Amino acid sequence: MRQKGVFSTDMTESFESALAKTRREVFLEGVHDGMPIALGYFVVSFTLGIAARNAGLDPLQGFLASFFNNASAGEYAGFTVIEADAPYLEIVLITIVANARYMLMSCALSQKFQPGTSIWHRIFVGFDVTDEIFGITIARKGPLNPYYNYGAMALALPGWAVGTSLGVVAGNILPPAVVSALSVALYGMFLWVIIPPAKKNRIVGGLVLASFALSYLASILPGIASCSSGTRTIILTVLIAGIGAALFPIREPQGQDGSQEGDDRHAA
């Protein structure tokens, strides 16, 4: 008969082995889903590289700027004020305003973590909360596994930074029309994120269409149109998400007896 201590050790080793395998599988899923994002980032960040060159940054500075601030709107704003020789305080403020929407995304992702998730996992996941990575992460069912984000970040983050650096090198070699055409790749990635869930759920599809209409109205209405795009995004996100949550709350599936499914799943 196997001794209790040996049995417990074997069970622990088996559990740790299964956990490591699960982490690896989840990491590879993130790599798989992050690959098209990385390719899109690599192309789109060429435009950022040209803006960085116009602001006086060299390839290494452009790489570091994109590696530590993986946000197109925030970097565009930052490079613009750098080129205008603005003071540091103005650079900080414009970057905060342009990137403020990521605080909302981080709050949403924090609700998907399992209780007891270490602060380090939360910090590393929060380091690279972009629109696209947020989209593929929030669409996954179940609790957030940080290794999925690490897999997506492993390709997306270098793709963005390297593309910016090469854009600085390319400089003004590319014709302006080509550079302008490359920028539409970002909108292609947004469509890739929102179309699949919108096709599966008509409520989501309706909210997406409403966001298109409200975004257009916010860009032309007096008052709100004068706000930055980041501020308008925050206002619309809170408004649309609040309306969606109030009118179409998610309800837990119930069993035949009226209780929530799975309450006594392991009672027997």
Side-chain angles (χ1 to χ4, degrees):
M1 183 175 180
R2 188 186 298 270
Q3 296 180 359
K4 182 177 180 181
V6 177
F7 179 78
S8 300
T9 302
D10 291 347
M11 287 293 293
T12 302
E13 292 176 353
S14 176
F15 175 78
E16 290 177 350
S17 176
L19 184 61
K21 181 179 179 181
T22 300
R23 289 175 176 176
R24 178 177 180 274
E25 291 176 348
V26 174
F27 180 86
L28 292 179
E29 289 178 0
V31 171
H32 176 272
D33 293 345
M35 185 173 298
I37 295 177
L39 294 175
Y41 280 178
F42 181 81
V43 174
V44 174
S45 59
F46 263 88
T47 309
L48 274 178
I50 294 175
R53 178 185 179 278
N54 294 337
L57 276 67
D58 60 34
L60 178 59
Q61 292 170 333
F63 177 90
L64 294 176
S66 282
F67 190 87
F68 290 106
N69 183 25
N70 193 5
S72 57
E75 287 189 64
Y76 269 122
F79 294 153
T80 300
V81 293
I82 289 174
E83 185 178 2
D85 198 21
Y88 290 136
L89 180 59
E90 184 175 343
I91 296 174
V92 171
L93 290 178
I94 192 64
T95 303
I96 291 175
V97 171
N99 294 333
R101 68 185 184 277
Y102 296 120
M103 291 190 291
L104 294 175
M105 297 181 187
S106 297
C107 289
L109 289 180
S110 69
Q111 306 305 308
K112 288 179 66 68
F113 279 110
Q114 287 184 338
T117 302
S118 71
I119 186 64
W120 294 110
H121 281 311
R122 297 174 184 268
I123 290 175
F124 290 140
V125 169
F127 171 71
D128 197 28
V129 177
T130 66
D131 300 290
E132 294 75 28
I133 293 180
F134 171 81
I136 63 175
T137 302
I138 207 71
R140 286 174 63 86
K141 297 181 179 179
L144 188 156
N145 189 323
Y147 288 87
Y148 175 79
N149 290 67
Y150 299 157
M153 291 162 56
L155 292 183
L157 187 55
W160 186 260
V162 171
T164 303
S165 181
L166 293 180
V168 175
V169 175
N172 292 323
I173 296 177
L174 295 175
V178 175
V179 176
S180 178
L182 291 176
S183 63
V184 302
L186 186 63
Y187 301 101
M189 288 188 292
F190 288 150
L191 292 176
W192 175 78
V193 171
I194 64 176
I195 286 180
K199 291 174 62 178
K200 295 180 181 179
N201 191 314
R202 285 185 291 182
I203 295 176
V204 174
L207 292 175
V208 169
L209 294 177
S211 69
F212 289 164
L214 291 176
S215 180
Y216 172 73
L217 290 176
S219 67
I220 61 175
L221 291 177
I224 190 173
S226 60
C227 298
S228 68
S229 59
T231 302
R232 292 200 302 268
T233 300
I234 292 175
I235 295 173
L236 291 176
T237 300
V238 174
L239 177 64
I240 298 172
I243 293 175
L247 298 181
F248 310 104
I250 298 177
R251 305 183 186 279
E252 293 290 338
Q254 295 182 347
Q256 295 180 355
D257 58 351
S259 62
Q260 288 188 351
E261 186 177 351
D263 286 349
D264 302 319
R265 186 175 299 173
H266 301 293

